[in-house]
Short mmCIF file of all heavy atoms in Angstrom, two decimals:
data_model
loop_
_atom_site.label_atom_id
_atom_site.label_comp_id
_atom_site.label_asym_id
_atom_site.label_seq_id
_atom_site.Cartn_x
_atom_site.Cartn_y
_atom_site.Cartn_z
N SER W 29 -9.24 -7.80 -8.86
CA SER W 29 -7.88 -8.27 -9.11
C SER W 29 -6.85 -7.15 -9.13
O SER W 29 -5.65 -7.40 -9.13
CB SER W 29 -7.82 -9.05 -10.43
OG SER W 29 -8.09 -8.18 -11.51
N THR W 30 -7.28 -5.90 -9.14
CA THR W 30 -6.35 -4.77 -9.13
C THR W 30 -5.87 -4.53 -7.70
O THR W 30 -6.69 -4.39 -6.79
CB THR W 30 -7.05 -3.50 -9.66
OG1 THR W 30 -7.53 -3.76 -10.97
CG2 THR W 30 -6.10 -2.32 -9.69
N PRO W 31 -4.56 -4.50 -7.48
CA PRO W 31 -4.06 -4.28 -6.12
C PRO W 31 -4.40 -2.87 -5.62
O PRO W 31 -4.59 -1.95 -6.41
CB PRO W 31 -2.55 -4.47 -6.24
CG PRO W 31 -2.23 -4.49 -7.67
CD PRO W 31 -3.49 -4.69 -8.44
N PRO W 32 -4.45 -2.69 -4.30
CA PRO W 32 -4.74 -1.37 -3.75
C PRO W 32 -3.58 -0.41 -3.98
O PRO W 32 -2.47 -0.82 -4.32
CB PRO W 32 -4.92 -1.64 -2.26
CG PRO W 32 -4.11 -2.87 -2.02
CD PRO W 32 -4.20 -3.69 -3.28
N ARG W 33 -3.84 0.87 -3.80
CA ARG W 33 -2.79 1.88 -3.94
C ARG W 33 -1.79 1.73 -2.78
O ARG W 33 -2.16 1.34 -1.69
CB ARG W 33 -3.39 3.27 -3.95
CG ARG W 33 -4.26 3.48 -5.20
CD ARG W 33 -4.74 4.89 -5.37
NE ARG W 33 -3.74 5.87 -5.66
CZ ARG W 33 -3.16 6.07 -6.85
NH1 ARG W 33 -3.46 5.29 -7.84
NH2 ARG W 33 -2.29 7.04 -7.02
N CYS W 34 -0.55 2.05 -3.05
CA CYS W 34 0.50 1.99 -2.03
C CYS W 34 0.28 3.12 -1.01
O CYS W 34 -0.20 4.20 -1.36
CB CYS W 34 1.88 2.16 -2.67
SG CYS W 34 2.30 0.90 -3.88
N ASP W 35 0.67 2.86 0.24
CA ASP W 35 0.61 3.88 1.29
C ASP W 35 1.99 4.47 1.48
O ASP W 35 2.99 3.75 1.50
CB ASP W 35 0.14 3.26 2.61
CG ASP W 35 -1.32 2.89 2.59
OD1 ASP W 35 -2.10 3.63 1.97
OD2 ASP W 35 -1.67 1.88 3.20
N TYR W 36 2.04 5.79 1.63
CA TYR W 36 3.29 6.51 1.86
C TYR W 36 3.06 7.47 3.02
O TYR W 36 2.36 8.47 2.87
CB TYR W 36 3.71 7.30 0.62
CG TYR W 36 3.85 6.45 -0.61
CD1 TYR W 36 2.90 6.47 -1.61
CD2 TYR W 36 4.94 5.60 -0.76
CE1 TYR W 36 3.03 5.69 -2.74
CE2 TYR W 36 5.08 4.81 -1.88
CZ TYR W 36 4.12 4.86 -2.86
OH TYR W 36 4.25 4.07 -3.98
N ASP W 37 3.63 7.15 4.17
CA ASP W 37 3.41 8.01 5.32
C ASP W 37 4.37 7.64 6.43
O ASP W 37 4.99 6.58 6.41
CB ASP W 37 1.97 7.86 5.82
CG ASP W 37 1.49 9.04 6.63
OD1 ASP W 37 2.25 10.03 6.78
OD2 ASP W 37 0.35 8.99 7.12
N CYS W 38 4.49 8.52 7.39
CA CYS W 38 5.20 8.25 8.63
C CYS W 38 4.17 8.37 9.74
O CYS W 38 3.62 9.45 9.96
CB CYS W 38 6.33 9.25 8.83
SG CYS W 38 7.17 9.06 10.40
N GLU W 39 3.87 7.24 10.40
CA GLU W 39 2.82 7.22 11.40
C GLU W 39 3.38 6.94 12.79
O GLU W 39 4.19 6.04 12.95
CB GLU W 39 1.82 6.10 11.10
CG GLU W 39 1.15 6.18 9.76
CD GLU W 39 0.30 4.95 9.48
OE1 GLU W 39 0.57 3.87 10.05
OE2 GLU W 39 -0.64 5.08 8.68
N ARG W 40 2.92 7.69 13.76
CA ARG W 40 3.23 7.38 15.16
C ARG W 40 2.11 6.50 15.67
O ARG W 40 0.95 6.89 15.67
CB ARG W 40 3.34 8.65 15.99
CG ARG W 40 3.69 8.36 17.45
CD ARG W 40 3.75 9.60 18.30
NE ARG W 40 2.42 10.17 18.40
CZ ARG W 40 2.16 11.48 18.34
NH1 ARG W 40 3.13 12.35 18.18
NH2 ARG W 40 0.93 11.91 18.43
N THR W 41 2.44 5.29 16.10
CA THR W 41 1.41 4.38 16.59
C THR W 41 1.35 4.35 18.11
O THR W 41 0.32 4.00 18.66
CB THR W 41 1.65 2.95 16.07
OG1 THR W 41 2.95 2.52 16.44
CG2 THR W 41 1.51 2.90 14.56
N VAL W 42 2.46 4.71 18.78
CA VAL W 42 2.50 4.71 20.24
C VAL W 42 3.39 5.87 20.68
O VAL W 42 4.42 6.12 20.08
CB VAL W 42 3.11 3.39 20.79
CG1 VAL W 42 3.29 3.46 22.30
CG2 VAL W 42 2.25 2.20 20.41
N GLY W 43 3.00 6.55 21.75
CA GLY W 43 3.89 7.47 22.43
C GLY W 43 3.84 8.92 22.02
O GLY W 43 3.13 9.31 21.11
N PRO W 44 4.67 9.72 22.72
CA PRO W 44 4.64 11.17 22.55
C PRO W 44 5.63 11.73 21.53
O PRO W 44 5.57 12.89 21.18
CB PRO W 44 5.02 11.66 23.96
CG PRO W 44 6.00 10.62 24.43
CD PRO W 44 5.47 9.32 23.87
N GLY W 45 6.59 10.92 21.07
CA GLY W 45 7.67 11.45 20.23
C GLY W 45 7.20 11.91 18.86
O GLY W 45 6.19 11.47 18.34
N ASP W 46 7.97 12.83 18.29
CA ASP W 46 7.70 13.35 16.94
C ASP W 46 8.40 12.46 15.93
O ASP W 46 9.62 12.55 15.74
CB ASP W 46 8.20 14.79 16.82
CG ASP W 46 8.03 15.35 15.43
OD1 ASP W 46 7.28 14.76 14.62
OD2 ASP W 46 8.65 16.39 15.13
N CYS W 47 7.66 11.60 15.26
CA CYS W 47 8.24 10.63 14.33
C CYS W 47 8.88 11.29 13.12
O CYS W 47 9.71 10.69 12.44
CB CYS W 47 7.18 9.62 13.88
SG CYS W 47 6.68 8.49 15.19
#
Side-chain angles (χ1 to χ4, degrees):
S29 65
T30 302
R33 294 187 67 78
C34 300
D35 289 324
Y36 303 105
D37 202 3
C38 175
E39 302 173 335
R40 181 182 66 221
T41 57
V42 174
D46 176 15
C47 290

